């Protein structure tokens, strides 16, 4: 025991001098790096968890000279996170997860980064709003790198909402810049350019040279993808001309030079391509993150060699660039490398290999863009419809919380006691009313369920009688009449039988019992597709056996009613239905691109909207109905049911 105590004292005697050393602002980077790592170990050995967490976060921000350093930072953060249960500060524990996610991000392990950003969001408290916004923003970037459009966009919007509430205009613009990059990747160039023009205007007004150069460079990449080469080189040269007028992130400067070099390598003159490539090589010597294995450097070098006719050299360098791009999982770098290799093999007289890389490029584009295309635009169609309302609710919530906090601080002990007695009496009355209201609601819901059940049973009986009785009789008459072949009689009876079957189907969907919900809905959509001009698309999973027959029937009726409303009122030319299940939930979504309506004006008027039946049927199976709509922008109905 005495030896242990002495050992602990020995550690403590080392800690104080190290803390004083690291407090010096002009300390050499390499010395600060080594001694910070050593002090983290001492804090770990002496179980000083708060200091361990703070210093590990500081260590994360120190310059990383190589890949191994990033791995070391990740390992130290993982070690510090083991002590999160012993850390009282939610700000510190949340930031440990936030920095661990950043370490994964730097190592291009974006899936692990996404998980750690999610952990950070869960770890922070309501008082850590700015960090929660950061976590959403950075998680959106990680989703962006993995090619997940919708999660990235959702995270960006969550971050932007919080930044706007907090009045942090700088980070609002950071989110806009990230959103512009996301749009660009999915070929939504108009929206990307609109955001960039806004950012450029703000940056000009505020004299923010770095932001101007960044947006000009990113805009030039979009112009290149659109084939607008004249505007592309203008944007690049303007960005280059601004680099001496203010501070600019060093990492950006060689990228601009290499982009200009590649442009002149393709369009000429060749001597300009060589000049700008040389400038890029000089500038990259000043950037530790920019080495000779960087895809931008390799792609520019390969393009220059290709333009000079050095095909073997261009091929070798392009293959190196492709390997680096595959490791970084950067979409733009990958597509550029595929295109380079395609062109090199074509000029080398190897059309088969050129075609292989052309197909790789197209396949990769399809895998990224087509996988998200439908859901991306369906999401985008409805995303902004509720944004304003949600923002107003959030602002009111923050305002209400502020008022409540101020009120609590001003309340005296006497008034608190009086308020407590009044609250107790009111609570008793409220409890009685609540129990009564709950019972009334339960009785009403039970009555609605029984009414719907009785209606369905009666419909089923009538449908069966029509189908088996009158339907069979009409069929026998048709056969007899057809034998005598009176003119048009068979066709008329065919029409009557088809109308009868249609009535029977509307009364009770027999195909639902025979085929199950998924196939019955698919047949309903096929019929609409055949008989109307509306473009119909669907994503339907097989949910056979996952929900009860009663829920299947109500969901089928909900689908019928919703589609009838679209046909009668929406003035739509397209609708999309999605039916999918997770482990314990089933989601039905029915969207159209029709005229929509102002939901805020009609919130309580379900009867006039023709939505009352949908609401009752959803309640009958304990589901949730969500309506997303806006005038001129279509309507989406979503139903969430327990499996």
């Amino acid at each position: 025991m005495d030896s242990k105590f002495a050992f602990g004292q020995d550690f403590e005697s080392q800690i104080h001098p190290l803390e004083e050393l690291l407090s010096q602002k002009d300390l050499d980077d390499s010395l600060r790096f080594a001694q910070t790592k050593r002090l983290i170990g001492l804090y770990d050995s002496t179980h000083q968890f708060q200091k361990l967490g703070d210093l590990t976060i500081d260590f994360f921000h120190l310059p990383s000279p190589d890949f191994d350093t990033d791995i070391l930072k990740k390992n130290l953060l993982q070690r510090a996170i083991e002590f999160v249960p012993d850390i009282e500060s939610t700000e510190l524990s949340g930031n440990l997860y936030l920095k661990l996610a950043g370490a994964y991000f730097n190592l291009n392990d974006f899936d692990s980064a996404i998980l750690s950003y999610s952990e950070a969001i869960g770890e922070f408290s309501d008082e850590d709003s700015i960090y929660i916004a950061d976590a959403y923003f950075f998680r959106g970037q990680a989703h962006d790198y993995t090619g997940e459009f919708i999660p990235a966009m959702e995270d960006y919007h969550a971050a932007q909402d919080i930044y706007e509430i907090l009045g942090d205009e700088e980070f609002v613009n950071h989110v806009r810049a990230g959103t512009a990059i996301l749009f660009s990747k999915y070929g939504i160039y108009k929206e990307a350019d609109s955001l960039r023009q806004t950012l450029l205007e703000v940056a000009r007004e505020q004299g923010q040279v770095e932001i101007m150069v960044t947006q000009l460079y990113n805009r030039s990449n979009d112009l290149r993808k659109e084939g607008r080469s004249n505007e592309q080189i203008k944007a690049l040269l303007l960005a280059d001309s601004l680099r001496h007028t203010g501070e600019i992130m060093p990492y950006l400067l060689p990228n601009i030079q290499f982009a200009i070099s590649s442009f002149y390598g393709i369009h000429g003159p060749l001597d300009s391509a060589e000049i700008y490539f040389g400038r890029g090589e000089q500038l990259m010597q000043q950037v530790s993150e920019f080495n000779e294995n960087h895809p931008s450097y390799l792609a520019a070098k390969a393009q220059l060699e290709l333009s000079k006719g050095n095909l073997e050299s261009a091929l070798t360098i392009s293959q190196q660039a492709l390997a680096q791009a595959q490791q970084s999982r950067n979409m733009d770098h990958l597509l550029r490398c595929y295109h380079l290799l395609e062109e090199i093999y074509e000029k080398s007289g190897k059309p088969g290999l050129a075609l292989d890389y052309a197909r790789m490029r197209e396949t990769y584009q399809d895998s990224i863009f087509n996988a998200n295309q439908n859901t991306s635009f369906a999401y985008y169609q409805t995303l902004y419809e509720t944004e304003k309302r949600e923002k107003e609710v959030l602002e009111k919530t923050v305002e209400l919380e502020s008022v409540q906090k101020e009120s609590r601080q001003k309340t005296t002990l006497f008034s608190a006691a009086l308020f407590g007695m009044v609250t107790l009496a009111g609570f008793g009355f409220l409890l009685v009313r609540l129990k009564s209201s709950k019972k009334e609601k339960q009785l009403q819901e039970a009555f609605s369920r029984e009414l719907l059940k009785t209606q369905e049973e009666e419909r089923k009986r009538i449908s069966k009688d029509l189908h088996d009785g009158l339907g069979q009789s009409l069929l026998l008459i048709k056969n007899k009449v057809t034998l005598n072949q009176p003119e048009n009689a068979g066709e008329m009876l065919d029409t009557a039988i088809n109308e009868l079957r249609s009535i029977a189907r509307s009364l009770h969907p027999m195909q639902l019992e025979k085929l199950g919900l998924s196939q019955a809905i698919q047949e309903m959509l096929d019929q609409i597709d055949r008989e109307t001009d509306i473009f119909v698309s669907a994503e339907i999973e097989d949910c056979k056996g996952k929900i009860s027959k009663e829920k299947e029937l109500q969901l089928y009726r909900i689908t019928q009613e919703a589609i009838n409303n679209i046909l009668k009122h929406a003035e739509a030319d397209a609708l999309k239905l999605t039916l999918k299940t997770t482990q314990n939930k089933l989601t039905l979504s029915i969207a159209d691109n029709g005229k929509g309506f102002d939901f805020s004006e009609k919130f309580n008027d379900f009867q006039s909207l023709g939505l009352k039946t949908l609401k009752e049927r959803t309640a009958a199976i304990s589901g949730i109905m969500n309506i997303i709509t806006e005038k001129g922008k279509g309507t989406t109905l979503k139903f969430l049911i327990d499996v």
Side-chain angles (χ1 to χ4, degrees):
M1 187 172 185
D2 290 338
S3 62
K4 261 187 166 180
F5 181 70
F7 192 58
Q9 279 187 326
D10 183 54
F11 279 153
E12 290 289 350
S13 66
Q14 298 177 55
I15 287 174
H16 185 64
L18 278 177
E19 289 177 334
E20 287 194 342
L21 177 66
L22 292 173
S23 67
Q24 299 176 20
K25 294 183 178 179
D26 57 350
L27 195 64
D28 177 74
D29 284 346
S30 60
L31 181 59
R32 183 179 297 279
F33 186 92
Q35 297 307 320
T36 302
K37 178 185 171 186
R38 182 181 168 204
L39 185 54
I40 287 171
L42 291 172
Y43 284 152
D44 190 345
S45 300
T46 54
H47 293 180
Q48 298 185 54
F49 304 128
Q50 187 79 21
K51 288 185 175 181
L52 170 66
D54 286 329
L55 194 60
T56 305
I57 288 173
D58 291 342
F59 186 75
F60 173 81
H61 291 290
L62 295 179
S64 298
D66 52 40
F67 187 77
D68 290 337
T69 306
D70 286 327
I71 294 175
L72 174 62
K73 289 180 178 181
K74 180 202 73 173
N75 292 339
L76 288 175
L77 284 161
Q78 286 176 325
R79 172 63 178 165
I81 280 172
E82 292 179 19
F83 304 112
V84 161
D86 300 302
I87 297 174
E88 295 182 2
S89 168
T90 59
E91 179 181 334
L92 176 56
S93 59
N95 267 301
L96 284 170
Y97 279 108
L98 196 62
K99 302 310 176 190
L100 177 61
Y104 280 126
F105 194 102
N106 292 339
L107 292 167
N108 297 321
D109 186 356
F110 302 116
D111 292 331
S112 297
I114 289 167
L115 290 174
S116 294
Y117 284 130
S118 301
E119 292 280 1
I121 292 168
E123 197 69 32
F124 286 123
S125 70
D126 293 340
E127 297 176 356
D128 306 316
S129 299
I130 187 67
Y131 297 116
I132 294 172
D134 290 345
Y136 276 121
F137 178 40
F138 298 138
R139 191 175 72 178
Q141 290 180 323
H143 280 304
D144 178 358
Y145 271 85
T146 57
E148 299 173 291
F149 178 89
I150 293 178
M153 187 61 71
E154 287 174 339
D155 281 347
Y156 281 154
H157 276 278
Q160 185 170 335
D161 285 345
I162 299 173
Y163 287 137
E164 287 180 348
I165 294 298
L166 297 173
D168 193 334
E169 189 62 27
E170 180 184 356
F171 268 85
V172 168
N173 286 331
H174 284 320
V175 177
R176 287 173 179 154
T179 306
I181 291 171
L182 190 63
F183 280 141
S184 168
K185 285 186 177 181
Y186 289 86
I188 312 174
Y189 298 121
K190 184 178 179 181
E191 286 78 359
D193 197 55
S194 175
L195 283 171
R196 291 203 173 110
Q197 295 288 10
T198 300
L199 291 167
L200 278 167
E201 189 174 337
V202 171
R204 284 192 197 98
E205 291 173 356
Q206 299 178 356
Q208 297 172 320
V209 177
E210 181 174 281
I211 293 176
M212 290 174 65
V213 172
T214 301
Q215 295 309 316
L216 285 167
Y217 173 71
N218 288 335
R219 185 168 184 264
S220 74
N221 283 328
D222 285 356
L223 294 168
R224 172 179 57 82
K225 295 172 192 173
E226 292 183 273
R228 296 158 66 181
S229 55
N230 289 336
E231 295 173 75
Q232 175 201 352
I233 192 61
K234 285 180 183 178
L236 284 170
L237 292 174
L238 179 56
D240 186 45
S241 70
L242 292 170
R243 66 189 176 97
H244 299 297
T245 63
E247 289 189 12
I248 298 172
M249 184 170 54
Y251 182 82
L252 189 61
L253 299 176
N255 274 303
I256 293 172
Q257 306 304 310
F258 291 139
I260 297 173
S261 173
S262 294
F263 176 87
Y264 285 131
I266 296 169
H267 301 283
L270 186 56
D271 56 347
S272 294
E274 292 180 315
I275 290 169
Y276 280 99
F277 183 78
R279 290 179 186 175
E281 282 190 309
Q282 290 176 357
L283 288 168
M284 69 183 264
Q285 304 303 321
Q286 305 167 23
V287 185
S288 59
E289 301 96 329
F290 217 117
N291 56 42
E292 293 185 350
N293 287 323
H294 195 282
S296 293
Y297 167 75
L298 290 170
K301 189 174 182 181
Q303 182 64 63
L304 187 58
E305 291 297 305
L306 174 61
S307 302
K308 292 160 72 173
N310 301 328
L311 298 180
E312 286 190 16
S313 175
L315 176 61
T316 302
I317 298 167
S318 294
Q319 289 172 335
Q320 293 173 359
L322 178 60
Q324 293 298 320
Q326 287 171 333
Q327 183 178 334
S328 68
R329 296 164 64 184
N330 185 293
M331 291 167 57
D332 287 337
H333 288 156
L334 275 168
L335 291 170
R336 190 175 176 192
C337 290
Y338 286 140
H339 185 76
L340 269 171
L341 287 162
E342 176 190 349
E343 190 174 352
I344 290 167
Y345 279 121
E346 186 177 343
K347 289 189 176 181
S348 300
K350 298 178 180 178
L353 290 171
L355 182 60
D356 287 342
Y357 278 100
R359 285 173 177 165
M360 287 182 197
R361 176 168 53 84
E362 291 174 2
T363 300
Y364 182 69
Q365 282 179 317
D366 291 344
S367 69
I368 296 298
F369 297 109
N370 292 347
N372 293 282
Q373 189 177 20
N374 291 334
T375 51
S376 297
F377 286 100
Y379 168 79
Y380 227 156
Q381 187 180 349
T382 58
L383 180 64
Y384 293 103
E385 296 171 0
T386 56
E387 185 180 24
K388 185 177 179 181
R389 288 196 300 275
E390 290 173 349
K391 212 173 286 184
E392 288 173 355
V393 170
L394 184 59
E395 287 172 354
K396 292 297 181 185
T397 302
V398 172
E399 183 182 337
L400 180 60
E401 288 174 353
S402 176
V403 171
Q404 288 174 337
K405 185 177 180 181
E406 185 179 348
S407 177
R408 285 195 298 269
Q409 290 172 344
K410 291 181 178 178
T411 303
T412 63
L413 182 62
F414 174 79
S415 60
L418 182 61
F419 178 74
M421 289 187 292
V422 173
T423 302
L424 187 63
F427 180 77
F429 174 77
L430 184 62
L431 189 62
V432 172
R433 287 291 303 152
L434 187 63
K435 286 182 178 179
S436 176
S437 298
K438 188 175 181 181
K439 188 173 182 180
E440 288 176 5
K441 185 180 178 182
Q442 288 174 342
L443 288 170
Q444 185 178 3
E445 288 178 349
F447 174 77
S448 295
R449 283 196 297 270
E450 287 301 318
L451 180 61
L452 288 170
K453 186 176 179 182
T454 303
Q455 288 176 340
E456 289 298 339
E457 288 175 353
E458 184 62 14
R459 284 181 169 190
K460 185 175 181 180
R461 183 189 66 77
I462 297 170
S463 173
K464 190 173 185 304
D465 289 343
L466 283 171
H467 186 274
D468 295 344
L470 182 57
Q472 293 299 323
S473 298
L474 282 170
L475 187 60
L476 289 172
I477 293 169
K478 177 202 167 182
N479 291 336
K480 289 184 179 182
V481 169
T482 303
L483 291 175
N484 295 325
Q485 298 183 343
E487 188 177 2
N488 296 330
E491 292 179 6
M492 293 170 62
L493 283 167
D494 272 339
T495 301
I497 291 169
N498 288 333
E499 287 176 352
L500 173 64
R501 287 173 177 167
S502 178
I503 293 168
R505 277 198 303 270
S506 65
L507 283 169
H508 184 75
M510 300 302 293
Q511 65 270 39
L512 180 64
E513 294 182 0
K514 296 177 182 178
L515 305 174
L517 177 64
S518 299
Q519 190 61 40
I521 289 177
Q522 185 62 61
E523 286 202 359
M524 184 196 307
L525 295 176
D526 290 343
Q527 183 183 359
I528 292 166
D529 198 27
R530 287 192 305 269
E531 297 176 1
T532 71
D533 294 328
I534 290 183
F535 176 81
V536 178
S537 61
E539 292 178 9
I540 300 175
E541 291 182 7
D542 186 8
C543 57
K544 190 173 183 179
K546 294 183 179 179
I547 56 175
S548 65
K549 291 294 184 183
E550 180 188 359
K551 288 184 177 180
E552 280 194 348
L553 178 59
Q554 295 299 350
L555 283 170
Y556 184 88
R557 289 299 188 199
I558 286 168
T559 304
Q560 241 180 356
E561 183 68 22
I563 291 176
N564 282 337
N565 286 341
I566 292 171
L567 297 175
K568 290 178 182 178
H569 308 297
E571 298 178 8
D573 53 25
L575 72 85
K576 178 176 180 180
L577 183 144
T578 303
L579 180 69
K580 60 182 180 180
T581 59
T582 57
Q583 192 171 10
N584 56 359
K585 295 288 182 184
L586 181 145
T587 304
L588 171 65
S589 172
I590 304 166
D592 69 77
N593 65 347
K595 63 183 181 181
F597 53 86
D598 190 338
F599 187 80
S600 61
E601 294 178 2
K602 304 287 187 179
F603 181 79
N604 294 314
D605 194 4
F606 277 90
Q607 185 66 44
S608 67
L609 294 173
L611 299 174
K612 185 176 182 181
T613 303
L614 293 176
K615 182 182 177 184
E616 290 177 351
R617 288 190 182 277
T618 307
I621 50 178
S622 303
I624 298 171
M625 181 174 74
N626 185 24
I627 304 168
I628 306 169
T629 186
E630 187 176 340
K631 283 185 177 179
K633 294 189 177 180
T635 302
T636 298
L637 300 177
K638 289 187 178 180
F639 305 88
L640 194 65
I641 310 298
D642 288 330
V643 173

